[in-house]
Amino acid sequence: MTRLPSPAPDTQDSVDTARAEIVRVGTSLFARGYVHASAGNISARVGDSHLITPTDAALGFLEPERLALVDPDGEQIAGDRASKTLTLHRRICAADPTARFIVHTHSTHLVALTLAGVWSQDDVLPPLTPYYVMKVGHVPLIPYHRPGDPRVADLVTGHIADRAAARTPIRAVLLDRLGPVVWGPDAASALAVLEELEETARLWLLTDRRPEPLPSPALDELRSVLGASW
């Protein structure tokens, strides 16, 4: 691969920081069982450029210098070959200005949920707990497409636009048979969404999908008192 000139020193500092954060998150996800083998990917927006894990990389054993650096035009300028989901990550960032850190996993209970049957196409899980409502919110199901299919980006960004117009912005989608894609302004925010989403899926499956959603008065209170966007 042809290498372009190195980034300016201030930009290089930001890239190095983002590299370290992606490696830290990948290691943490692997250690806690959220990812396995080479499933999943992580990206960070750095200015107008993107860092993303390489294709078929094992997230628990990432090497900072091998992460793919992609310029604002989508051309790769450093690292190993970018994940096949690069288009999806870039499109999410373009559709939602708050999306600066994106995580996709094949988390066990969320993939199992797509196999067992989600609550609805627009909400894969009911509003079971107050923290699910506040920290996660609405999560639509994206119909199955092969990994890396660029058509997925159109579906995801369509949901982002629709929910933004309804003033109930989303922070995640669930890809049928492939798991969640979550995003946020930083790694901590994205991980909080992923963890709450996976644990709520686990709770619902453990209870045989019997629990009723929170009643309307409870949801109204979460909106009015705590600013939930459900």
Side-chain angles (χ1 to χ4, degrees), residues 3 6 9 20 23 44 51 57 80 85 91 136 146 148 152 197 201 217 224:
R3 294 293 196 270
S6 299
V23 171
L51 270 171
D80 292 351
T85 60
R91 291 280 302 278
V136 180
R146 65 161 173 80
V152 171
L197 180 56
S224 62

Side-chain angles (χ1 to χ4, degrees), residues 159-172:
H159 280 288
I160 291 173
D162 290 346
R163 283 296 184 182
R167 299 185 178 180
T168 54
I170 59 174
R171 308 176 183 95

Side-chain angles (χ1 to χ4, degrees), residues 17-38:
T17 299
R19 288 184 191 279
E21 189 74 331
I22 289 174
V23 171
R24 182 187 70 81
V25 169
T27 301
S28 173
L29 290 172
F30 177 79
R32 294 182 293 144
Y34 284 91
V35 297
H36 61 276
S38 60

Side-chain angles (χ1 to χ4, degrees), residues 80-153:
D80 292 351
R81 183 160 60 93
S83 166
K84 64 180 77 70
T85 60
L86 172 63
T87 296
L88 174 59
H89 286 239
R90 295 182 72 237
R91 291 280 302 278
I92 289 172
C93 288
D96 183 350
T98 70
R100 302 196 66 85
F101 202 93
I102 301 175
V103 180
H104 167 51
T105 72
H106 295 197
S107 303
T108 301
H109 295 93
L110 285 163
V111 175
L113 178 64
T114 70
L115 301 175
V118 298
W119 189 53
S120 77
Q121 298 294 303
D122 292 327
D123 281 301
V124 298
L125 287 163
L128 292 176
T129 69
Y131 274 85
Y132 181 78
V133 172
M134 292 187 294
K135 301 297 185 182
V136 180
H138 299 285
V139 180
L141 179 70
I142 304 301
Y144 177 78
H145 291 74
R146 65 161 173 80
D149 191 324
R151 291 175 294 178
V152 171

Side-chain angles (χ1 to χ4, degrees), residues 126-131 133 212-219 222:
L128 292 176
T129 69
Y131 274 85
V133 172
E212 292 294 322
L214 285 168
S216 293
L219 294 174
L222 291 172

